[in-house]
Amino acid sequence: TARVLIDTDTSPASWVEQNAALAVSDVGTIATLDFDGFKVGKVTFIDNYLLQDSIINLDDYISRKIARAISLALDIAILSGTGAAGKQPAGILPAIPSGNKVTVAEGDPIADYVKPIGLIDTGLDAVGEIRAVMRRSTYYAYFLEMSINVNAEGQVVGRLPNLSRPDILGIPVTFNNSMPADTVLYGEFDKYTLVERENIAIDNSDQVR
């Protein structure tokens, strides 16, 4: 476990006489955040004959396979992790207040899909880049067609979507297939803190787990 001290005070500063002392409340409010420690890993079993006769770059294949497995585990945990009870990070989705969950009917104007951003960007504090997180299938089903139109002659008009950097009305989109279907998560994810205690290590061993 680890503990981090942060200043959680975002209240306005106080106006006083130029030779007066500042109020104690303007020093800031120090709070502590406790971080628990967990391990995420993957074991891949390789037969000796593959080590001897493989026609592929086995080291690269295994490294990519393990890295993909760890990435998927992180994607799932950051979105919907159960926290200490599940020996994993606390997820974003379970922590969303019920008042910040909005249902939009299919076919509503595209503006209705992005209005919930006002629940995040309230103007009470500085906000970094807001991003939308969703499954690829959700983006293709609802948002892809919104940027493509066809006129009476069958010609494509409007802005073609940039699938390498997808967006919704200029809001960057991050794909994560661990999101529930037909669901969009808006967030300013600099607020989410994940501590990496030790770098990822890949090694071979004849000792199981």
Side-chain angles (χ1 to χ4, degrees), residues 30-108:
I30 301 297
T32 61
L33 288 180
D34 291 327
F35 293 87
D36 209 342
F38 309 113
K39 177 170 62 178
V40 59
K42 177 79 171 180
V43 175
T44 300
F45 295 100
I46 303 296
D47 288 326
N48 284 331
Y49 84 91
L50 284 176
L51 297 174
Q52 298 164 356
D53 303 330
S54 176
I55 61 174
I56 64 173
N57 185 340
L58 197 61
D59 289 343
D60 181 67
Y61 170 78
I62 294 173
S63 298
R64 288 176 179 273
K65 182 175 181 180
I66 293 176
R68 175 175 171 79
I70 292 175
S71 296
L72 289 172
L74 281 171
D75 281 350
I76 294 170
I78 290 173
L79 280 180
S80 54
T82 56
K87 307 301 180 187
Q88 57 188 238
I92 295 172
L93 295 179
I96 296 177
S98 58
N100 282 29
K101 299 177 182 179
V102 179
T103 300
V104 180
E106 183 177 358
D108 283 358

Side-chain angles (χ1 to χ4, degrees), residues 100-130:
N100 282 29
K101 299 177 182 179
V102 179
T103 300
V104 180
E106 183 177 358
D108 283 358
I110 186 172
D112 289 349
Y113 286 86
V114 297
K115 284 180 179 178
I117 293 177
L119 297 170
I120 305 167
D121 188 4
T122 61
L124 295 178
D125 201 357
V127 176
E129 182 182 54
I130 295 176

